[in-house]
Amino acid sequence: MTTVERPRKPIRTYHPRRGRLSGRHFDALHRLTDAFAFVPGDPIDVLEIGSGMGEATVEMAAADPARRYLAVEIHTPGVANLLSLIEQRGLTNLRVVSVDALELLRSDIPLESLDAVHVFFPDPWPKARHHKRRLIQPAHVALLRDRLRPGGVLHCATDDAGYAQAMLETLTADPRLRNVHDGFAPRPAHRPLTKFEQRAIRDGRPSFDLMYVKS
C-alpha cells in the first residue's frame, strides 16, 4: 500500500487576531478596500510588513510623497483603520493589502524592485518552541533582501530584547546586508512613535532599531 504524504501547511509568522469592527471601520472596509487596493504589477517603492493600526504608516507616506508605499496587514480592524486614515489625509501614494507577506513577496514583488522594507514590531513569538514562526530568520531575510534594490534599506524595530538580539545576529550574518550602524541604530526621527510603542516605553520596554543596506 502506497502512503501519500499530505503537503505541509506553511508556518505562519503571524497570529490571526479577531477584533470587532466599529461602524466607522465597517464603513471604511466597504467603501475603500477597492479604492486603495494593491494590484499585482503596481509599482512599489516601500513595503511595510505589519502596519498595525496604520498611524505610523500614514505619517511616513505623507512625509514621503515621491515614493509609493504598500502596507501589509492581516488584522482586519487595523486594515479598516488604515483605510480610513488614508482617506482622511488624502494620500495617493499608499496602498493596502491583507495577505501573508511572505507569499506576497514570492509571487507579486519583483526582484530588486524596492527602495526599503519596514518590519516594525513583528510578533516576537517569545517561547523557544515558537521561534520558527518569527519573521526575521535567515530564509525570510534572504527573501526580503532579494526584493531590495542594491542600496535599499531593511529597517526593523522591536521592543522585545531577546528578539532584538536575534535580529541583530541574523541580519549581520546575511552576506549581502551591511549594518548602517555599529550594532543597534539610534531611533530614527522618520519612524513615528505609535501608541503601541508609547505603552511599551511606559512599561519599561525600550525599542531597538536595526537598519541594514543591501550591497
Side-chain angles (χ1 to χ4, degrees):
M1 182 177 178
T2 303
T3 301
V4 178
E5 292 188 4
R6 295 182 179 179
R8 294 183 179 182
K9 293 182 179 179
I11 296 175
R12 284 178 170 173
T13 60
Y14 57 89
H15 180 70
R17 294 174 293 157
R18 294 182 179 179
R20 293 184 177 180
L21 290 174
S22 66
R24 177 175 67 88
H25 285 162
F26 186 84
D27 174 69
L29 282 176
H30 178 70
R31 291 190 302 105
L32 303 175
T33 296
D34 290 343
F36 299 117
F38 168 72
V39 177
D42 286 350
I44 297 298
D45 300 306
V46 181
L47 177 69
E48 179 164 5
I49 299 176
S51 53
M53 296 305 287
E55 303 100 327
T57 311
V58 163
E59 292 300 326
M60 287 186 291
D64 190 16
R67 296 200 294 181
R68 297 155 296 196
Y69 281 66
L70 175 61
V72 184
E73 177 57 56
I74 50 85
H75 186 46
T76 304
V79 172
N81 197 66
L82 177 53
L83 290 170
S84 180
L85 292 173
I86 294 172
E87 181 183 50
Q88 291 174 22
R89 298 291 293 269
L91 298 182
T92 60
N93 65 326
L94 176 55
R95 294 291 179 265
V96 186
V97 65
S98 185
V99 297
D100 184 309
L102 297 177
E103 291 303 316
L104 175 78
L105 285 159
R106 294 185 185 105
S107 61
D108 295 323
I109 304 298
L111 294 171
E112 298 194 338
S113 63
L114 299 173
D115 288 341
V117 175
H118 297 162
V119 182
F120 298 155
F121 304 98
D123 194 324
W125 296 102
K127 295 181 180 179
R129 68 176 184 272
H130 292 155
H131 285 183
K132 62 185 177 182
R133 297 185 178 275
R134 287 177 167 177
L135 180 60
I136 301 303
Q137 54 182 289
H140 300 160
V141 169
L143 182 63
L144 296 170
R145 178 206 66 211
D146 287 348
R147 269 61 188 174
L148 286 170
R149 300 184 179 104
V153 176
L154 174 56
H155 181 185
C156 302
T158 181
D159 65 334
D160 184 287
Y163 196 11
Q165 185 61 40
M167 284 183 175
L168 181 64
E169 294 171 3
T170 299
L171 295 171
T172 299
D174 189 284
R176 294 199 61 193
L177 292 176
R178 176 181 59 82
N179 197 341
V180 177
H181 300 273
D182 183 14
F184 296 110
R187 191 187 187 288
H190 66 262
R191 182 174 68 75
L193 186 67
T194 65
K195 293 178 182 177
F196 171 88
E197 190 175 1
Q198 290 172 346
R199 287 197 300 270
I201 292 171
R202 287 198 300 268
D203 293 341
R205 299 194 311 275
S207 296
F208 302 86
D209 282 82
L210 303 99
M211 301 184 73
Y212 283 74
V213 172
K214 178 178 177 178
S215 61

